[in-house]
């Protein structure tokens, strides 16, 4: 089993995935671990919605409607969710709290998404966090049945890794963005 450091250094997003996907039980198992993120006041301000099959087509239709595109441009946009057999919609689900503003709650939800993405990668799945200009369009959010204090942070596109997709990273990582104040 890889150490956390090894898993983080090895991870890479998978723009292309095959048609196999983890089932709900496998996702729930990984989510149980991802939900160990730091979470101010333990509000658990997130939820994850799995979209498979026709749910992806309905999302595609909502994206196309939100864009106002017609014809080929609309069809192209509508087909985007079909790029993976499973989309995990990441929802920031905040509540009013005297000490924890909305931005902190969204930060915790993003943490869950990052950890879930890392855990999926470590489990051998292809995963890529995607958004787009219509992610927070009311039509798109309504297609997920979101409540008034809920917003999408995007979707983890999940599927099988095509053969040869796990090539090692060969570029030197950029210098860490770090400074210190004495
Ligand atoms: C919130 C968020 C939204 C993203 N949306 C997109 C997207 O819509 N399209 C895209 O190509 N990459 C998107 N990315 C970046 C990819 O997930 C990925 O990090 C990038 O392709 C670099 O690959 P790497 O993760 O292997 O370094 C997004 C990342 C985050 C954190």
């Amino acid at each position: 089993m890889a150490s956390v450091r090894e898993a983080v250094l090895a991870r890479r997003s998978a723009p292309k995935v095959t048609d196999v996907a983890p089932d709900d039980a496998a996702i729930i198992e990984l989510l149980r671990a991802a939900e160990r993120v730091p979470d101010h006041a333990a509000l658990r301000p997130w939820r994850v919605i799995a979209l498979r099959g026709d749910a992806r087509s309905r999302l595609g239709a909502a994206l196309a409607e939100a864009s106002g595109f017609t014809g080929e441009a609309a069809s192209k946009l509508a087909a985007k969710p079909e790029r993976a057999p499973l989309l995990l919609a990441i929802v920031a689900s905040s509540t009013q709290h005297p000490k924890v503003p909305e931005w902190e709650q969204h930060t915790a939800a993003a943490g869950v998404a990052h950890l879930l993405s890392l855990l999926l990668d470590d489990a051998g799945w292809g995963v890529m966090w995607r958004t787009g200009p219509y992610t927070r369009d009311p039509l798109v959010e309504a297609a997920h049945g979101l409540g008034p204090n809920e917003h999408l942070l995007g979707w983890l596109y999940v599927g099988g890794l095509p053969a040869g997709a796990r090539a090692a990273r060969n570029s030197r990582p950029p210098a860490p963005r770090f400074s210190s104040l004495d």
Side-chain angles (χ1 to χ4, degrees), residues 11-13 114 128-132 153 169:
R11 70 154 290 281
R12 63 186 317 166
S13 299
H114 279 295
M128 181 150 169
W129 190 339
R130 294 182 186 273
T131 48
L153 296 182
R169 286 180 182 274

Side-chain angles (χ1 to χ4, degrees), residues 44 92 138:
R44 309 184 81 217

